[in-house]
Amino acid sequence: MCLQDMILALHAFWGEQGCVILQPYDMRMGAGTFHPATTLRALGPEPWNAAFVQPCRRPTDGRYGENPNRLQHYYQYQVILKPSPENIQELYLKSLEVIGIDPLKHDIRFVEDDWESPTLGAWGLGWEVWCDGMEVTQFTYFQQMGGFDCKPVAGELTYGLERLAMYIQGKDNVYDLAYNNHGVTYGQVFLENEKQMSKWNFEVADTEALFDLFRKAVAECRNCLANDVPIAAYEQAIEASHVFNLLQARGVISVQERASYMGQVRDLARGSCEAYMAKEKDRWAAEFDGWTA
Amino acid sequence: MSDFLLELRCEEIPARMQADARGELEKLFRQHMGDAGVALGEVAVWSTPRRLALVAKGLPERTEAVSEESKGPPEGAPDQAIEGFCRKAGVTRDQLEVRDVKGRATYFAVRNIPGRTVKDLLAEAIPAMVRAFSWPKSMRWGTASMSTESLRWVRPLSGIVAILGEDLVECEVGGIASGYVTKGHRFHGAKPEHDVTGTGFTETAVPHHPGDITIGGAHDYVEKLRACHVIVDHTEREHIVRTKAKAVAHDAGLVLVEDEGLVIENAGLTEWPVPLLGNFDPDFLEVPPEVIQLTARTNQKYFICRDKHGKLANAFVCTANIVALDGGTAIVDGNRKVLAARLSDARFFWDVDRKKPLAEHARKLANIVFHEKLGTVSDKVERVAKLAEWLASEGIVPNCDPALARQAAELCKADLVTEMVGEFPELQGLMGGYYARAEGLPDAVADAIRDHYKPVGQGDDVPTAPVTVAVSLADKLDTLRSFFSIDEKPTGSKDPFALRRAALGIIRLVTENKLRMSIGEGDLLHFFADRLKVQQKEAGVRHDLIDAVFALGGEDDLVRLLARVHALQAFVGTEDGANLLAGYKRAANILKKEEWLGVEGEIARTGEEDPLAMVDDPDLAPVIAAKMAQAHEKELSYTLEPAEKALIDALATAEPKAASAIAAEDFAGAMAALASLRAPIDAFFDEVTVNDSNPDKRAARLDLLAQFRAAVHKVADFSRIEG
């Protein structure tokens, strides 16, 4: 099954299950969890089921297109189900079958892997799902987000699409993946991108401009918070987080400074979550009997 | 009498938590049954990733009636107190009985708890056990998690089977009701074509959904699960992993590297373990074997194998949770690919790291803060290099080239900033050693870089190669002295900088290599004394004997100190030693009772050995003079009894002998000299009356005992010796 058919199959499957099929968020981010459809929607009592592809950028993982497994830009398929349904594991396993993984031929395992994002003030318990020893999905029951208890708890599934595709297609090199069924490979789509972006991330990016971007994102986030637009504030937190990752890749943040930058990003993200909660909590309390923030 | 089965089924329990969870389940069950007075016979607890199970054999049908009695306040106590007591005891005021307790009318609450069926008891106990269950980490889930008060479990709890005999124990917790139905293996199902193991289960035996099973009771639980590809007894799964992993390696002409931790972990990750052998590209063997083992073990939970010559083979054993339809070909191939991807990462790090010499890597250490008050890691490295060089040039570490010691110390932390150690921190040191060798540095330097963290624990080997000893010792001494200098000492259970471990390392390096040096002073010396006692305890050395030698003061040479302690321990173990100790105690008790310091006692008290040394001291000179004169006078005032004379003579011989033996560090000789006092002191106590009515005699004899005590103290402070 080619990569794009996998995405279509997952969309069809999760769409059937009642998920809203969203498009990628139009900002640079390190993980699908940053998508407001996950982070912000994990807060509060309203049921929420969504599935989407999110391109992820991890500048330090760039290998100039020379490593068969590591990329600075790749896709995550993200599913969020709130509250977590009773049969969430069974649903997940069925979703593997629709992309061609037969659980009677392969060894599917749920191996302890708890998740924590100090940046988002979030944590959850769950597993990394192994398929024949390969981690193909991160499976998490969110317990806290932005420093708030999740009430109710959401289940989050994050599939590593390239890895799964390599597995399904039996390819050892990500660039050899069939992107579609008409001869287009992943390499044709992304190899040059990886080369140039690795070079930009590690060597070219103007660090002064990045520092400036970081400061501006911090300031704008505070401006948004002061004006009670928490969704806009959260976008600035995403921006600051990614710019920080770029600065890391450029090697211009010393070990000593690192903690301070991370602390700033965390404050922005938490501040945005707090503001989002504050804005909605009265309505939620009115609509959901017995619910409190 | 009926057997009871309890199964708590949930989503995958982390392997590392299963052993404790079994213990917790048994503990809670015994507690509840014990509280109700139910005597228990055999209780078995099992776990798989998806269930905890307990079987208790031979439970009675009913509990015995019990009468619970509690004593309350006396009659006439304030109403408040009496009502509080009633509430606590669960009785009303008119139910209280009044009894006489030592002449006082006192309220008693008596509750007659009638016998009840064990089934009812279990129906109450199960929800209570589930709610009280303690997990290292627990979570909420599902619709109920709208409230933070919802049930917590390690992962979502999905089913409860509770059967007493053949009867359902009806109960409910967190919205989950007990039943007869559980699930078998997640994937192995009811379809006959899936019966590749030939266990012979059929579609009718497992009628519905793949994996849904109806349990009859404790009697058929294990076998019904087995028929659905679940081996519920973890010890059986462990046995399968242990023996089959070995067998598949053996069949390929290889030897499995045994690893009990992996056995337990793999058994905790599977309900139906199937060890499978796979190979990886032999080109990866150019990467250090420790890297391959660590990659395979930590990331993938694979066993590794060696060939017949003991070299690492390009093979691994993974443990699948399924007998696959294709016999495991796809599973092995998938695992091979994952390992290959991980190993190519490792090889990438190995290649990249070797492009630069360690000295160049080391420059980056200037960017890493060691501690805010102690500078960067570079600063620390420079201190260590200086100290290592000094230890070598002073001959404290014998036969050590100071230049090599400095070079090794300068490079010993460089691998911390390499890619490989960034990925696998546990390879610190080891990788530095590989990289040093790869760039052609002398073996002594590479070995020192590799081993300078040693000894890590009590069981770890202690380095003996001179350059390694110098670097290892310098590193630990610097850590300890630096943190003590900024007053960061371990307190209670807090030891964030692992200073106790550093001290222990120093003790072992110094004592096992017999290094003669002062290890510290003041607080630091006390810290070492405490660590030494802990460390020597395992070697069977008595802590009181260490105290007895430390109490002499000023001993900062661990080798000399331990030699003395060992001689002392050997001595107090002999009959002479035990008797001398008894004699010493008797003498010390008499002197204490009489509050007699005596001439020697006075001197001993001031801590000076040579009385003449104190004559210069204006305060003490008259005291000494008077005491000496007094002693001199007494010698002439009466005729000595034979035993008294014998002790004086024995002391006159033994004292200088012991002193010179100590000066020569011949502690066994010093003990032998003391041993010669045993017969005379015994005879003295048998034949001489110390508290003679003649005050001169009494004074002289007390002085003699004081002299005896002081002579013994030159070897060790016997008052610290227990027993």
Side-chain angles (χ1 to χ4, degrees):
Chain A
M1 186 181 281
C2 66
L3 185 72
Q4 71 188 35
D5 283 354
M6 281 172 58
I7 294 172
L8 294 173
L10 288 170
H11 276 349
F13 177 81
W14 288 110
E16 289 267 308
Q17 305 302 326
C19 285
V20 172
I21 304 298
L22 294 171
Q23 301 306 314
Y25 208 65
D26 58 339
M27 290 189 73
R28 301 178 293 184
M29 58 183 74
T33 307
F34 275 91
H35 194 305
T38 300
T39 306
L40 296 180
R41 295 283 187 156
L43 295 166
E46 287 174 312
W48 174 250
N49 300 300
F52 52 91
V53 174
Q54 181 58 46
C56 299
R57 294 182 184 235
R58 297 198 178 168
T60 48
D61 280 352
R63 293 289 184 271
Y64 296 85
E66 285 165 15
N67 186 294
N69 305 293
R70 274 190 202 249
L71 303 160
Q72 55 83 45
H73 170 285
Y74 60 95
Y75 289 136
Q76 283 183 347
Y77 194 93
Q78 173 96 3
V79 180
I80 176 127
L81 304 168
K82 185 178 101 176
S84 63
E86 240 174 72
N87 61 344
I88 183 168
Q89 282 188 309
E90 282 68 36
L91 288 177
Y92 166 72
L93 291 169
K94 269 190 206 155
S95 78
L96 288 186
E97 289 188 48
V98 305
I99 52 173
I101 294 182
D102 178 355
L104 289 167
K105 259 194 205 155
H106 296 285
D107 185 29
I108 315 283
R109 222 86 71 70
F110 293 84
V111 180
E112 176 190 19
D113 191 22
D114 299 337
W115 173 81
E116 186 180 15
S117 167
T119 311
L120 293 174
W123 67 277
L125 299 191
W127 310 274
E128 50 183 46
V129 183
W130 284 13
C131 176
D132 299 340
M134 179 171 63
E135 182 194 345
V136 292
T137 303
Q138 180 74 39
F139 191 137
T140 308
Y141 289 100
F142 286 149
Q143 301 294 301
Q144 272 201 336
M145 182 61 80
F148 296 97
D149 283 327
C150 293
K151 295 191 284 187
V153 164
E156 182 208 41
L157 305 171
T158 304
Y159 304 71
L161 280 178
E162 284 85 349
R163 278 186 180 198
L164 270 166
M166 284 169 75
Y167 196 79
I168 291 163
Q169 297 180 20
K171 295 282 163 59
D172 287 336
N173 189 322
V174 66
Y175 299 108
D176 295 337
L177 283 177
Y179 201 99
N180 68 2
N181 291 329
H182 298 271
V184 178
T185 66
Y186 193 88
Q188 283 172 294
V189 181
F190 282 121
L191 180 57
E192 188 56 25
N193 187 69
E194 279 299 309
K195 288 180 184 171
Q196 293 192 20
M197 291 309 293
S198 293
K199 185 169 176 182
W200 184 75
N201 293 338
F202 287 125
E203 303 167 43
V204 178
D206 179 342
T207 55
E208 270 320 300
L210 288 173
F211 278 120
D212 197 41
L213 267 180
F214 187 88
R215 281 189 292 269
K216 285 182 171 151
V218 172
E220 189 55 30
C221 183
R222 300 210 169 112
N223 177 35
C224 294
L225 289 173
N227 288 286
D228 198 25
V229 278
I231 294 174
Y234 181 66
E235 284 199 346
Q236 296 305 317
I238 296 175
E239 173 74 1
S241 169
H242 181 67
V243 172
F244 164 72
N245 288 341
L246 282 169
L247 285 164
Q248 283 265 89
R250 292 288 281 117
V252 289
I253 293 187
S254 72
V255 180
Q256 295 94 310
E257 291 167 317
R258 195 166 171 262
S260 144
Y261 275 91
M262 288 177 72
Q264 288 187 64
V265 176
R266 185 185 57 226
D267 291 346
L268 300 184
R270 287 196 184 199
S272 305
C273 289
E274 275 166 30
Y276 183 79
M277 283 286 280
K279 203 173 169 65
E280 303 282 359
K281 70 169 196 276
D282 291 341
R283 180 173 67 81
W284 288 335
E287 289 176 19
F288 293 85
D289 200 25
W291 184 88
T292 53
Chain B
M1 294 291 216
S2 312
D3 296 345
F4 170 61
L5 165 72
L6 174 66
E7 181 195 70
L8 302 171
R9 189 164 48 81
C10 66
E11 297 179 8
E12 279 76 355
I13 307 168
R16 67 184 174 93
M17 296 179 190
Q18 290 171 25
D20 284 347
R22 294 190 299 264
E24 176 80 359
L25 181 62
E26 180 169 352
K27 187 193 85 185
L28 288 169
F29 180 71
R30 286 189 182 278
Q31 215 169 292
H32 278 271
M33 295 303 106
D35 287 351
V38 176
L40 291 174
E42 192 189 321
V43 175
V45 278
W46 299 305
S47 66
T48 81
R50 299 176 71 205
R51 64 200 87 221
L52 288 173
L54 178 147
V55 167
K57 291 267 171 76
L59 292 192
E61 298 306 314
R62 296 185 66 83
T63 64
E64 306 277 341
V66 237
S67 165
E68 251 178 27
E69 211 178 85
S70 45
K71 184 178 147 213
E75 214 174 24
D79 278 354
Q80 232 174 346
I82 297 168
E83 273 150 26
F85 169 68
C86 289
R87 252 196 319 277
K88 221 174 106 199
V91 293
T92 57
R93 192 157 175 171
D94 54 2
Q95 289 173 318
L96 291 178
E97 293 177 16
V98 180
R99 290 186 206 163
D100 181 86
V101 177
K102 290 179 190 159
R104 248 183 126 176
T106 307
Y107 286 118
F108 274 78
V110 180
R111 280 180 72 204
N112 290 312
I113 303 165
R116 60 192 296 209
T117 66
V118 167
K119 203 167 115 183
D120 287 349
L121 171 71
L122 287 166
E124 257 176 48
I126 294 164
M129 284 163 58
V130 168
R131 286 204 187 86
F133 208 97
S134 152
W135 292 99
K137 281 184 185 173
S138 63
M139 56 167 278
R140 298 172 295 118
W141 67 92
T143 322
S145 62
M146 202 70 147
S147 154
T148 46
E149 302 304 306
S150 65
L151 182 66
R152 290 179 164 269
W153 199 248
V154 61
R155 293 292 184 276
L157 183 68
S158 35
I160 299 173
V161 174
I163 305 170
L164 181 63
E166 295 191 349
D167 294 343
L168 184 67
V169 176
E170 284 182 66
C171 59
E172 189 248 285
V173 59
I176 300 149
S178 62
Y180 287 105
V181 174
T182 184
K183 286 184 190 273
H185 193 280
R186 209 184 254 297
F187 306 110
H188 277 300
K191 295 178 193 161
E193 68 263 34
H194 294 161
D195 182 19
V196 284
T197 54
T199 47
F201 65 89
T202 64
E203 218 158 348
T204 44
V206 198
H208 306 295
H209 178 270
D212 256 12
I213 319 163
T214 303
I215 301 296
H219 61 280
D220 66 356
Y221 177 66
V222 171
E223 290 316 311
K224 275 204 166 157
L225 278 182
R226 186 189 303 279
C228 291
H229 284 85
V230 174
I231 296 168
V232 73
D233 181 349
H234 52 278
T235 59
E236 187 182 340
R237 294 197 311 281
E238 285 162 10
H239 178 75
I240 290 170
V241 175
R242 202 179 289 124
T243 53
K244 292 218 176 133
K246 228 188 226 176
V248 292
H250 182 261
D251 291 348
L254 300 169
V255 180
L256 188 84
V257 176
E258 290 179 32
D259 189 328
E260 195 55 20
L262 275 181
V263 166
I264 292 168
E265 188 166 12
N266 277 300
L269 282 165
T270 49
E271 296 204 302
W272 191 268
V274 182
L276 298 167
L277 181 94
N279 290 298
F280 57 85
D281 185 342
D283 285 354
F284 285 122
L285 291 173
E286 70 181 62
V287 177
E290 293 88 346
V291 175
I292 295 176
Q293 178 166 16
L294 200 64
T295 304
R297 183 186 204 282
T298 6
N299 297 125
Q300 298 301 133
K301 326 213 187 280
Y302 300 157
F303 295 91
I304 51 156
C305 303
R306 296 191 189 284
D307 64 18
K308 290 198 180 87
H309 312 291
K311 279 187 65 182
L312 189 71
N314 62 320
F316 64 92
V317 176
C318 61
T319 309
N321 186 31
I322 187 168
V323 182
L325 290 177
D326 64 357
T329 318
I331 294 175
V332 168
D333 198 50
N335 278 286
R336 179 190 60 73
K337 274 189 199 161
V338 183
L339 185 60
R342 295 235 182 230
L343 290 178
S344 46
D345 256 359
R347 186 162 59 184
F348 171 77
F349 298 146
W350 170 242
D351 290 340
V352 168
D353 288 342
R354 283 180 304 157
K355 281 185 185 153
K356 280 193 266 174
L358 282 177
E360 203 173 309
H361 283 295
R363 280 193 213 125
K364 281 201 214 152
L365 298 174
N367 299 328
I368 303 174
V369 176
F370 175 64
H371 182 281
E372 56 173 331
K373 290 185 190 156
L374 298 171
T376 65
V377 177
S378 269
D379 297 333
K380 178 184 169 61
V381 164
E382 181 46 35
R383 291 195 301 267
V384 173
K386 221 183 248 176
L387 185 52
E389 190 179 21
W390 181 82
L391 288 168
S393 61
E394 290 294 308
I396 291 171
V397 177
N399 309 315
C400 181
D401 180 338
L404 290 181
R406 168 166 269 281
Q407 188 185 14
E410 282 174 345
L411 300 176
C412 71
K413 305 292 180 192
D415 67 353
L416 293 180
V417 290
T418 61
E419 298 280 343
M420 188 74 89
V421 175
E423 185 75 11
F424 300 113
E426 52 274 72
L427 293 180
Q428 62 180 9
L430 187 83
M431 288 320 298
Y434 275 110
Y435 293 142
R437 234 175 291 273
E439 68 176 89
L441 296 179
D443 280 342
V445 171
D447 291 347
I449 294 171
R450 181 188 64 201
D451 294 335
H452 82 280
Y453 291 102
K454 287 176 175 251
V456 178
Q458 184 76 286
D460 197 16
D461 290 340
V462 173
T464 52
V467 179
T468 309
V469 171
V471 178
S472 174
L473 187 60
D475 184 26
K476 294 171 181 62
L477 278 172
D478 175 71
T479 298
L480 211 56
R481 301 194 81 103
S482 299
F483 282 106
F484 267 68
S485 75
I486 56 164
D487 211 28
E488 283 282 2
K489 299 166 193 169
T491 48
S493 61
K494 286 199 187 114
D495 183 12
F497 305 108
L499 300 187
R500 291 192 179 112
R501 195 171 69 191
L504 199 63
I506 294 167
I507 289 170
R508 294 193 59 204
L509 279 162
V510 166
T511 56
E512 292 180 38
N513 287 295
K514 306 239 174 293
L515 305 182
R516 307 304 304 268
M517 62 181 295
S518 158
I519 49 155
E521 61 292 307
D523 279 359
L524 194 55
L525 188 59
H526 281 122
F527 184 64
F528 273 114
D530 286 344
R531 291 297 97 204
L532 187 69
K533 280 187 251 173
V534 173
Q535 185 247 359
Q536 289 289 315
K537 197 175 166 188
E538 297 204 5
V541 177
R542 287 164 48 179
H543 66 92
D544 57 328
L545 301 185
I546 295 177
D547 271 341
V549 176
F550 259 117
L552 297 175
E555 183 58 280
D556 58 4
D557 177 330
L558 291 179
V559 174
R560 191 165 61 206
L561 182 132
L562 274 186
R564 195 184 272 221
V565 170
H566 289 150
L568 185 59
Q569 180 148 356
F571 179 57
V572 297
T574 63
E575 202 197 331
D576 275 351
N579 282 314
L580 186 79
L581 179 60
Y584 167 87
K585 296 228 153 155
R586 197 163 163 192
N589 282 339
I590 294 171
L591 290 167
K592 196 178 161 201
K593 202 171 142 210
E594 301 298 326
E595 293 178 349
W596 196 268
L597 288 170
V599 183
E600 301 288 346
E602 191 68 52
I603 292 163
R605 188 181 64 80
T606 57
E608 294 284 343
E609 288 184 23
D610 178 2
L612 292 177
M614 291 187 304
V615 175
D616 289 342
D617 185 331
D619 295 334
L620 280 172
V623 179
I624 300 297
K627 290 276 180 190
M628 294 299 269
Q630 213 181 358
H632 185 69
E633 225 173 274
K634 273 176 228 154
E635 273 173 40
L636 302 172
S637 68
Y638 68 98
T639 314
L640 296 170
E641 289 181 31
E644 199 174 4
K645 171 85 168 61
L647 182 57
I648 291 169
D649 291 347
L651 275 169
T653 322
E655 271 196 292
K657 245 194 204 166
S660 65
I662 285 168
E665 299 187 12
D666 170 15
F667 299 110
M671 301 301 157
L674 283 190
S676 72
L677 294 175
R678 179 227 160 157
I681 191 75
D682 286 353
F684 179 82
F685 281 125
D686 284 348
E687 291 161 30
V688 182
T689 310
V690 177
N691 266 328
D692 198 279
S693 52
N694 175 343
D696 284 351
K697 281 189 184 176
R698 178 175 168 269
R701 285 166 188 171
L702 285 169
D703 273 350
L704 185 58
L705 286 181
Q707 194 192 344
F708 164 72
R709 181 177 65 177
V712 173
H713 273 201
K714 290 206 172 99
V715 177
D717 183 348
F718 272 54
S719 69
R720 309 265 177 159
I721 301 176
E722 294 165 3

